Amino acid sequence: MDSTGVYNDGFSARQINCTISVTNGHLHIYLQNETRDLLIWDLKNLKSCHLNGSHIIIKYGEYPHHTLECNGEVAKEIYRIWSGNHFIRKAEGLTFSSKRVMVISLIVLFIALGVFTLFYVLPWAGEKAANLIPISTEVQLGESIGEMYAKESDMNDSANYYMHQFVKQLELDDTYKIDVKVVQSEDINAFALPGGKIFVYSGIIEKMENYEELVALLGHEVTHVLNRHSLKNICRSAATSIVVASLFGDVTGIGAGILSQAEQFKQLDYSRDLETEADNNGLQIMVENKVNPQGMLDLLRLLKEEGTEMPKFMKYLSTHPDTDSRISNILNNPELKNEFPENEKLKELFIKVKGCI
């Protein structure tokens, strides 16, 4: 690759025309002077190299520097070779301290990416994957977990009978078959499994004073079922444990990761958004069934009275809404203003459920 250019020796203002070629990383400069001198410059050792469009100015040697200007493809080729060598030399010029800082920075970045993937990307992907699971599979999963839980729990069959009658009185979305079971326990708790199974502890029923509270509780838990909150939670948790087990080659750990979620349903902790959504939809279910929505407030106040409030500073860190926030949310819901006559049938069944506790 040849071109023409202009050379200056740095000692005078004389410009000498020349012919230039690039061979094996070296610049061959054939001067058109009286003695037809040949100059060979190693492109690694250029003092500077400035390319503007297709025009290049390069300097070589100690001060006063030799200079050379040329245009065209040769100019671009010179710059390409020089810039590549320049980058390598800069990397080679890094001090040991700089290299150590770079290595540490890369390790920190790698760990940060790992943590971000483990705690945010995988749970997010797991939750999105929940939407791909057919309802039939979701129901099977919930039944498997429910059977396992029922075997380990003290089920109140008498209360279950009247609870079944109570649920039959409610108009609910029939996407899932809602099956509510009463667990004999002093715990103030209730939880929903994927697919429609809901477990209500006798402890919370015992504390209730009216059937509206029970409708509010069921409306809340039914929303967790209908909006697949339970399934999304199990997929979020299982996604991380499955990947961790895979990384360590623990095949049995993958299955254990999924099954371990069953025990966690008793303490299932939904996000602020999901709990608020369940409260609001639960209230809407009460209105659709012409049940006094004040029951939702009564239920939340019962939970506040019986529950252990988290320290104030923790309320801002927790993803789970505190009871005061839930009460405030319901107080701002316009559906709360609806008034309905008492439902004698629900009231009667509620008394029978409580009578079995």
Side-chain angles (χ1 to χ4, degrees):
M1 182 179 294
D2 296 332
S3 181
T4 57
V6 177
Y7 165 81
N8 176 263
D9 62 7
F11 291 96
S12 69
R14 183 187 178 195
Q15 303 286 326
I16 302 175
N17 292 329
C18 57
T19 302
I20 305 164
S21 66
V22 178
T23 306
N24 297 327
H26 290 76
L27 193 60
H28 294 250
I29 306 168
Y30 300 92
L31 299 180
Q32 296 176 10
N33 55 6
E34 295 81 4
T35 54
R36 298 293 178 179
D37 294 327
L38 169 62
L39 305 177
I40 301 176
W41 294 354
D42 188 339
L43 291 175
K44 293 179 182 177
N45 299 325
L46 298 183
K47 287 295 181 183
S48 65
C49 185
H50 300 285
L51 181 69
N52 184 8
S54 61
H55 180 76
I56 197 168
I57 301 174
I58 58 180
K59 293 184 178 181
Y60 184 82
E62 299 300 327
Y63 187 83
H65 309 301
H66 300 252
T67 60
L68 178 72
E69 297 183 39
C70 67
N71 295 290
E73 293 303 317
V74 167
K76 295 179 181 177
E77 179 67 6
I78 291 170
Y79 188 79
R80 186 188 66 78
I81 296 172
W82 174 83
S83 58
N85 290 330
H86 186 66
F87 176 79
I88 293 171
R89 282 200 306 276
K90 285 184 72 175
E92 290 175 346
L94 289 174
T95 63
F96 174 75
S97 178
S98 299
K99 289 178 180 177
R100 187 171 61 177
V101 170
M102 181 179 291
V103 169
I104 292 174
S105 299
L106 288 172
I107 291 173
V108 170
L109 178 62
F110 180 78
I111 293 174
L113 285 174
V115 170
F116 180 76
T117 300
L118 192 61
F119 291 98
Y120 292 95
V121 177
L122 288 177
W124 174 84
E127 184 175 325
K128 295 300 177 186
N131 295 324
L132 304 177
I133 296 176
I135 288 179
S136 58
T137 303
E138 181 185 359
V139 170
Q140 288 179 354
L141 175 64
E143 287 181 348
S144 298
I145 298 173
E147 287 176 9
M148 186 166 58
Y149 181 71
K151 287 179 182 176
E152 299 173 352
S153 305
D154 183 12
M155 307 303 296
N156 188 324
D157 293 332
S158 299
N160 285 343
Y161 174 78
Y162 292 113
M163 180 65 83
H164 177 70
Q165 300 300 316
F166 189 93
V167 174
K168 279 181 66 176
Q169 294 298 314
L170 300 174
E171 293 288 337
L172 300 173
D173 187 312
D174 60 0
T175 304
Y176 296 90
K177 180 183 177 183
I178 301 301
D179 181 19
V180 183
K181 302 291 186 186
V182 178
V183 181
Q184 197 64 31
S185 168
E186 294 181 354
D187 291 347
I188 309 297
N189 200 2
F191 63 92
L193 293 178
K197 285 195 176 298
I198 296 172
F199 289 87
V200 180
Y201 286 62
S202 60
I204 192 171
I205 297 175
E206 191 174 6
K207 297 289 182 181
M208 291 178 177
E209 296 182 352
N210 56 65
Y211 71 90
E212 290 92 340
E213 292 174 87
L214 182 55
V215 177
L217 176 69
L218 295 178
H220 178 96
E221 297 301 332
V222 165
T223 299
H224 283 320
V225 174
L226 296 178
N227 293 0
R228 312 187 96 181
H229 294 169
S230 307
L231 182 65
K232 290 174 182 175
N233 255 21
I234 196 173
C235 288
R236 283 176 63 90
S237 300
T240 301
S241 56
I242 288 172
V243 171
V244 170
S246 301
L247 287 174
F248 289 95
D250 182 9
V251 177
T252 56
I254 295 175
I258 295 175
L259 292 176
S260 67
Q261 306 307 311
E263 275 301 304
Q264 295 181 16
F265 273 103
K266 287 182 288 186
Q267 291 84 34
L268 205 54
D269 202 12
Y270 295 106
S271 69
R272 288 170 181 264
D273 290 343
L274 295 188
E275 284 290 35
T276 302
E277 184 179 320
D279 286 344
N280 290 337
N281 286 12
L283 191 69
Q284 186 62 39
I285 288 173
M286 297 180 76
V287 172
E288 290 171 357
N289 282 276
K290 296 182 171 43
V291 173
N292 188 348
Q294 286 289 331
M296 182 63 82
L297 273 182
D298 293 340
L299 174 66
L300 293 175
R301 286 166 177 158
L302 166 64
L303 295 175
K304 177 178 170 60
E305 183 179 336
E306 297 296 330
T308 303
E309 287 290 291
M310 67 181 75
K312 186 173 289 185
F313 74 94
M314 286 294 291
K315 295 177 182 177
Y316 302 101
L317 301 176
S318 173
T319 59
H320 188 77
D322 63 279
T323 311
D324 283 336
S325 297
R326 295 174 65 185
I327 291 173
S328 176
N329 169 60
I330 292 300
L331 284 171
N332 291 324
N333 193 315
E335 299 285 12
L336 191 66
K337 298 178 181 176
N338 286 285
E339 295 182 3
F340 302 102
E342 195 158 64
N343 187 315
E344 295 297 337
K345 186 64 178 178
L346 286 175
K347 181 179 179 181
E348 176 189 345
L349 290 169
F350 173 71
I351 293 172
K352 289 182 177 178
V353 170
K354 280 185 69 90
C356 298
I357 300 303

